[in-house]
Amino acid sequence: MRSIGQGTLLVDFPLYLHQIGWNSVYIGALFSASLFINGTLSFLFGLTAGKYDKKKFILGFQVILIICAAIAFFTSNNFLLGIVAIIGGFGRSGMGGSGPFAVIEVSWLNDLIKYSRKSAIFSLNNSLIFFGMGVGTMIATVPEFLSNFIAPALAFRAIFLTIIFWNIICFYLITKVKNDPITQNKDIDKSKKENKDISKENKSLFILFALNTLNGLSLGFIMPLLPYWFKLKFNSNAFDLGIIFTISLFMTSLSSILSIYLIQKLGAAKTVTLMRLGGLISLLLMISSPSSLLAGFFYMLRSFLNRGNIGARQALVTNITRNKATLALSINNFSQILSLSIGPFITGIFFAHKDYITPFIVGAIFQILYLVCFYIFFKNYEV
């Protein structure tokens, strides 16, 4: 349910900011600040999550989201809008996650599933997230229709009512989830047990930090301002973007399911590497496209290949240190988001100078480095 709202904001929030007078530099700076602050808080909360009830953290974030959406609905004050956007993670492609508590949410899910089913469950979870975001991007086309009857800025503000609605439902559903963790050690096959000393685990966590710094640098130049890129380069409106992102997210939902079978055939590390390599090629074709139709097609293909393997990556990360999954996830999330927060601001500056190619080339270079290092490291941590 939360991912439906995230999908709507992914398309409409940067367009709303543009409508009320924000330029590309300010929008990029806002997303950078949001990513940096949420990444830092996510790391801190992740380190302390093991001492508290993880379910209560997630319920608390639902309340925060509802309050932030209510404030955004009732006012367009730049300062207040910026604050609630940072707290709520509005429009920055949060993958349907729970903001600074995203690590806790994934760790909670990890506690509730058997080790042998981890990769499949994570992939299924992400498939549902992408499906929900796809529904959300369909809803994102509504302001374009409403703007025929009311002021465009007011039409965009109406989307915050849907955010409130979906998160109230999400709050209720989470209260119904049984908090019954599974002891992971007892569920691991004896043939797969490893006697890892602390120094080896620490080395693995350090490498994970370095890897995700590369990945975050890459994604920061590509993803947060991508809907805005379509707006600036092709003058795409909310309806056009809603269609593009809806189809791409539904395709990604399907890809997340298909990746389960690829993992069984090729292994998780090889599946992730090959799919993301295909996504990288699609990205280069997208930025070279002469029309929004062709660019939209290659974006859909990139999303299908690049994002459908997130469940496999999450399973690999939790496998680095089986007794400290929350710590591994915290480092994974923090290192990626911290570096990801650099890109939007720089990308916004390039966009202000009408350069719509360079940020993506820079992101592609970092992605190539990440993929090479990722496979070398994770081929020893298959799930």
Side-chain angles (χ1 to χ4, degrees), residues 194-208 319-324 327 331 377 381:
E194 300 176 21
N195 295 319
K196 299 179 180 179
D197 56 33
I198 294 176
S199 62
K200 185 174 181 179
E201 284 192 350
N202 290 341
K203 180 181 178 181
S204 295
L205 292 172
F206 176 78
I207 294 173
L208 176 66
N319 196 29
I320 286 179
T321 167
R322 292 170 181 169
N323 297 315
K324 299 177 182 178
L327 176 61
I331 291 175
F377 177 64
Y381 289 96

Side-chain angles (χ1 to χ4, degrees), residues 151-178:
L154 291 177
F156 278 113
R157 281 168 66 176
I159 64 174
F160 294 107
L161 289 176
T162 68
I163 308 305
I164 295 170
F165 174 75
W166 294 120
N167 281 285
I168 289 174
I169 295 177
C170 188
F171 181 92
Y172 172 76
L173 292 175
I174 292 173
T175 62
K176 298 300 180 182
V177 177
K178 292 182 179 180

